[in-house]
């Protein structure tokens, strides 16, 4: 028997509690040789509000937990009867493991993936520059450059619109 990654369904919001409960059960029921790693896939999300950068953790798959295990009747029973677990993902009563590539992408994503930025700006929105060489200039967001983490803002200078690339924290919305 070889170990594979399986997906278990949990009550939403209970993912971390299920992980903790399952870790305790593995230890108390001596299943360390059949159930190995438990992951609640998370990613960092950078939120910019009022020009301040805040990194928060966001669940990638709310309501799901990944378990690396060797599937036997015993290991299935331990996981399935953990408080908060509603079942395995699979057809009928037979859990289906993730294929190796899917599992590796998720595991890699949790460790190395770049934080995703949550942008609180929209194209066409009026903004005021609050730092840098264009401080106190007003402008309109022309484009959101997610890959660079910047905004392209049309700033009105000397009666002409000039496109300028600015960091998210260099501008604030004009309400």
């Amino acid at each position: 028997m070889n170990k594979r990654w399986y997906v278990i369904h949990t009550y939403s919001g209970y993912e971390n509690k299920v992980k903790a409960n399952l870790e305790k059960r593995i230890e108390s029921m001596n299943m360390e040789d059949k159930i190995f790693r438990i992951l609640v896939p998370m990613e960092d999300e950078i939120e910019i509000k009022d020009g301040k950068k805040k990194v928060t953790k966001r669940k990638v798959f709310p309501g799901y937990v990944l378990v690396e295990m060797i599937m036997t009747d015993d290991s299935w029973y331990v996981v399935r009867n953990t408080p908060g677990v509603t079942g395995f993902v699979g057809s009928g009563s037979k859990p289906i493991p993730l294929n190796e590539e899917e599992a590796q992408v998720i595991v890699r994503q949790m460790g190395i993936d770049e934080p995703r930025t949550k942008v609180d700006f929209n194209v066409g929105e009026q903004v005021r520059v609050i730092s840098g060489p264009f401080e106190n200039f007003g402008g309109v967001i022309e484009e959101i450059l997610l890959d660079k983490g910047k905004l392209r803002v049309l700033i009105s200078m000397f009666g002409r619109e000039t496109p300028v690339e600015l960091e998210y924290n260099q501008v604030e919305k004009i309400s």
Side-chain angles (χ1 to χ4, degrees):
M1 290 272 201
N2 57 349
K3 59 184 179 181
R4 303 282 304 264
W5 284 98
Y6 292 86
V7 181
I8 54 176
H9 197 270
T10 68
Y11 295 118
S12 192
Y14 281 79
E15 299 87 356
N16 292 325
K17 199 167 193 56
V18 163
K19 180 181 193 279
N21 286 341
L22 190 49
E23 285 167 348
K24 283 188 198 116
R25 284 174 60 87
I26 292 166
E27 201 176 314
S28 69
M29 299 175 96
N30 296 319
M31 295 299 286
E32 293 94 338
D33 61 334
K34 294 209 175 72
I35 305 172
F36 307 98
R37 291 187 285 174
I38 302 147
L39 295 179
V40 177
M42 306 283 268
E43 66 184 2
D44 286 345
E45 185 173 76
I46 300 168
E47 202 170 331
I48 296 168
K49 248 195 166 82
D50 304 327
K52 289 180 183 64
K53 206 177 195 182
K54 190 176 111 184
V55 178
T56 54
K57 291 271 185 209
R58 184 179 75 80
K59 291 182 182 97
V60 181
F61 308 114
Y64 296 95
V65 174
L66 273 61
V67 181
E68 185 183 37
M69 61 190 283
I70 295 171
M71 187 58 72
T72 64
D73 288 347
D74 295 345
S75 63
W76 177 89
Y77 181 86
V78 169
V79 174
R80 180 66 190 88
N81 292 295
T82 298
V85 172
T86 57
F88 278 91
V89 172
S91 58
S93 59
K94 188 174 175 0
I96 297 173
L98 287 174
N99 72 42
E100 206 50 47
E101 293 78 44
E102 289 173 318
Q104 287 316 309
V105 166
I106 293 167
V107 171
R108 202 173 309 118
Q109 198 176 18
M110 285 192 61
I112 306 163
D113 213 26
E114 285 294 302
R116 293 230 169 89
T117 302
K118 183 178 174 186
V119 183
D120 198 22
F121 296 105
N122 297 305
V123 172
E125 207 164 27
Q126 297 272 329
V127 293
R128 185 172 70 84
V129 182
I130 55 173
S131 71
F134 301 102
E135 190 170 350
N136 294 322
F137 276 90
V140 174
I141 297 174
E142 179 184 52
E143 191 178 353
I144 297 168
L145 309 164
L146 284 173
D147 52 334
K148 290 184 178 179
K150 295 185 176 189
L151 301 170
R152 181 168 294 132
V153 179
L154 288 177
I155 293 179
S156 185
M157 283 191 293
F158 315 116
R160 301 177 69 159
E161 302 243 297
T162 306
V164 179
E165 281 188 18
L166 299 166
E167 303 279 333
Y168 301 139
N169 61 356
Q170 286 184 285
V171 298
E172 68 181 8
K173 293 181 184 188
I174 299 173
S175 40

